[in-house]
């Protein structure tokens, strides 16, 4: 099961069964993906054809296979009324990456009671460093940032570099060794505001 980020565009609904007899209902949607739950705003007085045009973001982990949309009617003095719900399988989204706003059937007690229009986008978790023998680390301490990167390839060459940025100046070092040729070089560069100092040894 893929892991990543699910973005949901909640557009609108139509042909909903209006649960209010004397006025238009005030629909809102409860979006659920496994244990994560989010709510839309209340579409006040829009009755059976509400508009939302809202975005929601969920974290997809193992076991997340569907998105549930429960439509409710907001009542001020009584319990909110259940209008209907729609369940969207996520497997087609994982294969395609994105699905344009599409109408999904809203069901209550096994009967069709309208439709809800939703767009979906899935962004997989980055796997750029997995299995490549490289490691990146970045630390940010208020006004300055320190980052380091190390990469090794055995058999031919080894290269390592480190960069430190302290507000107005930058220090970097680079070391390269090539065996068989063989060549060893190092370079160090320091920049302090308006001037730069560098050394090179081969």
């Amino acid at each position: 099961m893929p892991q990543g980020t699910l973005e949901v565009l909640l557009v609108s609904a139509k042909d909903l069964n209006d649960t209010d007899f004397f006025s238009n209902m005030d629909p809102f949607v409860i979006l659920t993906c496994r244990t994560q739950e989010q709510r839309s705003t209340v579409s006040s007085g829009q009755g059976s054809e509400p508009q939302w045009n809202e975005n929601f973001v969920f974290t997809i982990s193992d076991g997340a296979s569907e998105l549930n949309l429960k439509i409710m009617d907001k009542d001020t003095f009584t319990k909110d009324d259940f209008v209907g719900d729609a369940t969207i399988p996520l497997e087609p989204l994982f294969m395609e990456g994105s699905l344009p706003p599409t109408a999904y059937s809203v069901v209550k007690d096994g009967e069709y009671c309208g439709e809800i229009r939703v767009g979906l986008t899935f962004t997989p978790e980055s796997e750029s460093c997995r299995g490549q023998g490289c490691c990146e680390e970045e630390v940010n301490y208020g006004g300055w940032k320190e980052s380091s990167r190390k990469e090794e390839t055995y058999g031919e060459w080894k290269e390592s570099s480190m960069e430190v940025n302290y507000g107005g100046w930058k220090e970097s070092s680079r070391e390269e060794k090539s065996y068989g040729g063989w060549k060893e070089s190092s370079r160090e560069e320091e920049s302090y505001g308006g001037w730069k100092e560098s050394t090179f040894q081969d």
Side-chain angles (χ1 to χ4, degrees):
M1 184 66 64
Q3 299 181 1
T5 301
L6 169 64
E7 298 178 48
V8 181
L9 172 60
L10 176 63
V11 182
S12 61
K14 70 175 185 178
D15 299 331
L16 301 178
N17 290 338
D18 201 327
T19 58
D20 288 345
F21 296 102
F22 302 104
S23 62
N24 288 334
M25 64 179 180
D26 307 312
F28 68 95
V29 180
I30 301 175
L31 302 89
T32 306
C33 186
R34 293 200 69 195
T35 60
Q36 303 170 73
E37 181 178 291
Q38 299 189 52
R39 294 192 178 199
S40 73
T41 58
V42 176
S43 186
S44 300
Q46 294 194 22
S48 61
E49 297 191 1
Q51 300 276 338
W52 290 286
N53 294 310
E54 297 179 30
N55 290 284
F56 304 88
V57 177
F58 293 90
T59 300
I60 297 298
S61 58
D62 291 338
S65 60
E66 61 184 30
L67 174 71
N68 181 262
L69 308 172
K70 182 186 293 184
I71 305 176
M72 305 292 292
D73 173 24
K74 181 68 176 177
D75 289 330
T76 304
F77 302 107
T78 59
K79 184 179 179 181
D80 296 339
D81 297 319
F82 173 64
V83 178
D85 65 357
T87 299
I88 303 175
L90 297 179
E91 189 63 33
L93 174 65
F94 295 152
M95 295 190 307
E96 297 294 333
S98 65
L99 297 174
T102 304
Y104 299 91
S105 295
V106 177
V107 178
K108 181 180 181 182
D109 299 328
E111 295 184 1
Y112 173 86
C113 59
E115 63 183 37
I116 188 167
R117 184 170 293 273
V118 176
L120 302 172
T121 302
F122 176 67
T123 304
E125 185 181 69
S126 176
E127 298 182 358
S128 58
C129 265
R130 293 183 183 178
Q132 295 183 9
C134 72
C135 175
E136 289 186 294
E137 181 179 355
E138 179 176 289
V139 183
N140 195 324
Y141 297 93
W144 61 275
K145 182 174 74 173
E146 177 176 305
S147 62
S148 63
R149 178 180 177 90
K150 184 176 181 180
E151 181 174 346
E152 295 183 349
T153 301
Y154 299 96
E156 295 182 359
W157 57 271
K158 175 181 176 182
E159 180 180 0
S160 64
S161 63
M162 179 173 179
E163 178 178 289
V164 184
N165 193 324
Y166 296 91
W169 62 275
K170 183 171 86 171
E171 179 179 25
S172 64
S173 63
R174 178 183 179 91
E175 181 179 352
E176 181 179 6
K177 294 181 181 180
S178 178
Y179 300 96
W182 66 273
K183 173 184 168 185
E184 179 177 351
S185 65
S186 64
R187 178 170 180 171
E188 182 175 352
E189 178 179 290
E190 296 181 352
S191 178
Y192 298 85
W195 62 275
K196 181 171 74 174
E197 177 181 273
S198 63
T199 61
F200 186 81
Q201 179 180 355
D202 192 347

